[in-house]
């Protein structure tokens, strides 16, 4: 079956421009995550969606970053007024659900997309 | 605080064993994970271990967990060129009402003939 897809695969933009990155999760997956992968810095959590709501936006690095999810499916990560330090690979992941409360410590596998490589000149 | 640390680079000869090490901070983590990222691809779950286990073996992969020292390792036996990738260690953290993965920086494994 289809996995997580992201578009575009590569994006080159000029400093100060806005960009939109798209994620199509696996059909039926209610949980969706955005991460940023910078060289030598591992994966940095950005935001988590459960359905269309985002209970955890704590990882968004500044107010230039925002994300939305509509219809419990596609998500868009928007970066306004891009800066050179925004250059990174942006990864999206989805899972069937994320346990909480009484299921503390359990986990449903996150399936990752191939990422969008963003270069800000 | 949340922190997962791993060395950034490992080079091994084809056929030798590779050992990738990781330290984590949250003693309440119930699961610990190894993800693999091949060039140009997303991350793929390689294996995981439950915190009440010391060891887990899956074909060429052996995961060792030392809870006292908060140390996790991944051993790949008979390393092949196809094993060249970045390997990420991750711990699970219950935060903000849900379970969240905290990743290390990744260890780039280079396999040479």
């Amino acid at each position: 079956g289809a996995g997580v897809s992201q578009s575009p695969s590569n994006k080159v933009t000029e400093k100060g421009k806005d960009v939109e990155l798209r994620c199509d999760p696996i059909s039926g997956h209610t949980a969706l995550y955005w991460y940023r992968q910078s060289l030598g810095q591992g994966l940095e959590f950005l935001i988590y969606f459960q359905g269309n709501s985002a209970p955890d936006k704590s990882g968004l690095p500044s107010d230039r970053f925002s994300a939305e999810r509509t219809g419990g499916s596609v998500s868009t990560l928007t970066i306004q007024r891009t800066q050179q330090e925004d250059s990174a690979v942006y990864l999206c992941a989805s899972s069937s659900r994320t346990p909480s409360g009484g299921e503390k410590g359990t986990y449903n596998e996150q399936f990752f997309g191939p990422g969008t490589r963003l270069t800000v000149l | 605080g949340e922190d997962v640390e791993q060395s950034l680079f490992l080079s091994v000869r084809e056929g030798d064993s590779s050992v990738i090490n990781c330290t984590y901070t949250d003693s309440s983590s119930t699961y610990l994970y190894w993800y693999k990222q091949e060039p140009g691809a997303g991350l793929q779950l390689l294996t995981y271990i439950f915190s009440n286990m010391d060891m887990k073996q899956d074909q060429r992969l052996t995961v060792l967990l030392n809870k006292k020292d908060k140390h996790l390792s991944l051993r790949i036996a008979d390393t092949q060129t196809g094993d060249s990738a970045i390997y990420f260690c991750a711990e699970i953290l219950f935060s903000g009402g849900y379970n969240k993965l905290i990743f290390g920086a990744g260890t780039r494994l280079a396999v040479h003939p």
Side-chain angles (χ1 to χ4, degrees):
Chain A
V4 178
S5 61
Q6 293 185 243
S7 60
S9 54
N10 278 285
K11 176 72 176 178
V12 180
T13 190
E14 293 179 349
K15 178 181 171 182
K17 300 283 190 185
D18 297 351
V19 295
E20 281 191 355
L21 312 180
R22 177 187 167 109
C23 173
D24 279 272
I26 292 173
S27 177
H29 278 190
T30 57
L32 186 146
Y33 309 79
W34 282 99
Y35 296 89
R36 179 167 70 175
Q37 184 179 16
S38 303
L39 192 62
Q41 295 190 12
L43 271 76
E44 176 187 8
F45 167 81
L46 298 179
I47 188 170
Y48 150 66
F49 284 93
Q50 180 61 40
N52 290 338
S53 65
D56 190 352
K57 305 179 184 179
S58 63
L60 294 177
S62 76
D63 59 8
R64 296 186 295 104
F65 287 72
S66 62
E68 64 175 14
R69 189 178 185 197
T70 55
S73 180
V74 171
S75 176
T76 302
L77 177 68
T78 301
I79 309 173
Q80 295 177 308
R81 304 180 303 282
T82 51
Q83 303 294 312
Q84 288 182 333
E85 61 263 28
D86 299 334
S87 296
V89 176
Y90 290 82
L91 290 166
C92 173
S94 71
S95 68
S96 57
R97 61 184 177 92
T98 182
S100 62
E103 294 175 298
K104 176 181 175 180
T106 57
Y107 172 67
N108 282 358
E109 181 181 348
Q110 293 183 22
F111 294 84
F112 283 80
T116 294
R117 181 176 296 278
L118 175 65
T119 303
V120 182
L121 301 177
Chain B
E2 326 161 350
D3 201 11
V4 177
E5 294 188 354
Q6 34 182 149
S7 54
L8 294 183
F9 189 74
L10 176 66
S11 178
V12 299
R13 186 175 302 166
E14 190 174 10
D16 287 352
S17 292
S18 308
V19 180
I20 302 171
N21 295 302
C22 168
T23 57
Y24 61 97
T25 55
D26 189 350
S27 59
S28 66
S29 288
T30 52
Y31 289 92
L32 294 136
Y33 304 86
W34 286 103
Y35 275 80
K36 178 182 180 182
Q37 184 181 34
E38 296 185 359
L43 275 72
Q44 183 176 15
L45 181 64
L46 193 61
T47 187
Y48 66 93
I49 187 167
F50 190 51
S51 60
N52 69 351
M53 299 169 67
D54 298 324
M55 184 180 83
K56 179 180 180 181
Q57 187 148 7
D58 182 4
Q59 299 181 335
R60 294 190 296 120
L61 305 178
T62 303
V63 179
L64 295 177
L65 175 61
N66 181 329
K67 281 195 72 174
K68 175 176 170 291
D69 295 337
K70 298 179 190 171
H71 183 267
L72 183 73
S73 68
L74 174 69
R75 179 177 181 269
I76 305 173
D78 187 25
T79 312
Q80 303 297 307
T81 54
D83 296 323
S84 295
I86 302 175
Y87 292 82
F88 291 91
C89 169
E91 65 173 340
I92 195 165
L93 179 70
F94 186 71
S95 172
Y98 77 104
N99 294 304
K100 178 174 165 179
L101 279 180
I102 307 297
F103 286 90
T107 299
R108 183 179 295 273
L109 175 65
V111 183
H112 56 88

